[in-house]
Amino acid sequence: MELKKSPRIVVITGASGGIGRASARLFAREGDHVALLARGSTGLQAAAREVRDLGGDPLTITVDTADHHAVEQAADRVEAELGPIDVWVNDAFTSVFARFVDIDPEEFRRVTEVTYLGFVNGTRAALTRMLPRDRGVIVQVGSALAHRGIPLQSPYCGAKHAMWGFHESLLTELRHEHSNVHVTSVAMPGVNTPQFRWVSSRLPMQAQPVPPFYQPEVAARAVLYAAAHPQRRAYWVGATTAATIVANRVAGGLLDRYLARTGVASQQTDTPRPADQKTNLWEPVDGEDGHDHGAHGVFDDRAIAHSPQQWASQHRRALGVTALSLAGGLAVRARRTA
């Protein structure tokens, strides 16, 4: 069955900032109808204006994805107001930057409920509606940290690892049933998003993504591509993601020692963290009394705007054919000159 062309009905969780916000813009440029789900009303309204200005049709829904009843109600509203959901993008998350022993059990549970169970809840809501129609796409916004844990992010790494196991299990079930509903995942590198100024932290210095890191538009382009080409089980974004996943497979012990030596410092800037810095663990920082943080963080001068690896990954079949053609041509030339 061919995937539906635009305009599609697209749901994005975590749509008020970062990768979700940048993805909403790209779907809007395609002319899609975009349902924007997040907790922060101020950020959602700003995202809706961008979608509208870019030619999309937005619907904003304030929801905590950790609440499966609220997610189901949000999906009902999307289908009632926009139509049958074609694409569901799970992106909402939260985290705590701290050593594991410094994280309270309630905090660890909260991160798990949003960052892992939020994906489960969104996927269930999407499947409930897509399976009877036998069509639809679910994109899980993953991370290199779904395959390799790093210091200071134990709840996030644990949640992303759980997401990957859940993704593989669901993928095999759908393929066993020969379903035309597709699920795919996009493993992200460090990205310049606002999270590093609003995620709960007990670090002495301001948090930052592990360098080198990318602009959210790089990640969003991968989400858009995955939604249109969901037959692959997963995509990797950025050379650092590919290197991290491969290195962990072949030399995990060496990577343990390397990250033990470099991982703590590489996630902090030289600027002290303000003691009164607001966090979004329990409440959104872009709620009614907050302000819109947009898609980008504060590292625009250091973030990478393009990923040759991403392009190569998405076009690996064409590159393989080209490589074989070149090899064949060289072989013919070698025989002629022999």
Side-chain angles (χ1 to χ4, degrees):
M1 180 180 292
E2 290 188 5
L3 298 177
K4 182 180 176 182
K5 305 297 183 183
S6 292
R8 297 164 294 185
I9 309 302
V10 180
V11 177
I12 303 175
T13 72
S16 60
I19 295 172
R21 179 77 165 263
S23 298
R25 294 171 182 166
L26 293 189
F27 282 110
R29 289 193 179 101
E30 297 287 311
D32 293 323
H33 308 302
V34 187
L36 308 161
L37 277 57
R39 291 181 298 159
S41 56
T42 301
L44 280 176
Q45 293 305 318
R49 287 192 295 271
E50 292 178 349
V51 167
R52 193 175 296 109
D53 291 344
L54 290 167
D57 184 12
L59 170 66
T60 61
I61 302 178
T62 303
V63 63
D64 186 337
T65 57
D67 183 342
H68 69 96
H69 291 298
V71 174
E72 283 290 335
Q73 292 172 355
D76 283 340
R77 184 179 167 192
V78 172
E79 298 223 328
E81 297 188 29
L82 296 181
I85 298 167
D86 298 298
V87 178
W88 187 292
V89 179
N90 283 313
D91 178 55
F93 75 95
T94 190
S95 189
V96 177
F97 283 92
R99 298 186 309 158
F100 168 70
V101 295
D102 295 328
I103 301 173
D104 296 335
E106 294 79 9
E107 294 174 322
F108 206 102
R109 178 177 179 176
R110 174 62 177 165
V111 173
T112 304
E113 288 177 339
V114 175
T115 308
Y116 171 50
L117 293 182
F119 278 47
V120 173
N121 295 336
T123 300
R124 179 181 288 108
L127 288 176
T128 299
R129 291 151 182 84
M130 292 176 177
L131 287 175
R133 298 190 287 260
D134 197 31
R135 65 176 177 85
V137 176
I138 300 169
V139 180
Q140 315 287 20
V141 177
S143 170
L145 304 188
H147 308 271
R148 171 67 238 186
I150 64 174
L152 305 179
Q153 294 203 51
S154 58
Y156 181 84
C157 291
K160 286 299 185 183
H161 274 69
M163 183 280 295
W164 178 248
F166 164 68
H167 170 68
E168 288 186 320
S169 180
L170 175 60
L171 181 67
T172 57
E173 292 175 2
L174 292 174
R175 291 186 177 179
H176 171 75
E177 296 163 3
H178 304 288
S179 176
N180 285 308
V181 176
H182 298 278
V183 58
T184 187
S185 176
V186 186
M188 299 299 181
V191 181
N192 175 35
T193 71
Q195 68 143 321
F196 299 95
R197 289 298 181 271
W198 72 33
V199 169
S200 181
S201 174
R202 292 191 177 88
L203 304 181
M205 314 302 281
Q206 285 281 21
Q208 69 171 10
V210 178
F213 46 83
Y214 295 79
Q215 292 288 28
E217 287 76 15
V218 175
R221 288 194 292 270
V223 170
L224 189 74
Y225 187 89
H229 305 84
Q231 292 80 7
R232 274 176 57 178
R233 69 199 303 261
Y235 291 90
W236 297 351
V237 178
T240 53
T241 296
T244 298
I245 295 174
V246 172
N248 194 59
R249 288 176 179 175
V250 300
L254 289 176
L255 201 52
D256 289 342
R257 291 188 283 275
Y258 173 77
L259 289 168
R261 187 173 66 253
T262 66
V264 172
S266 66
Q267 294 184 78
Q268 300 181 74
T269 70
D270 296 329
T271 304
R273 177 182 59 85
D276 60 348
Q277 183 168 287
K278 293 183 178 180
T279 70
N280 78 336
L281 184 62
W282 303 105
E283 299 292 338
V285 297
D286 57 346
E288 292 183 3
D289 298 328
H291 70 276
D292 174 40
H293 291 260
H296 285 217
V298 298
F299 304 107
D300 279 339
D301 58 332
R302 298 167 55 197
I304 301 169
H306 301 282
S307 172
Q309 176 278 335
Q310 176 184 338
W311 185 93
S313 174
Q314 293 172 354
H315 299 85
R316 61 184 185 181
R317 181 172 298 179
L319 288 173
V321 171
T322 301
L324 287 173
S325 298
L326 288 172
L330 290 173
V332 171
R333 182 177 179 181
R335 286 196 299 268
R336 290 176 175 174
T337 57

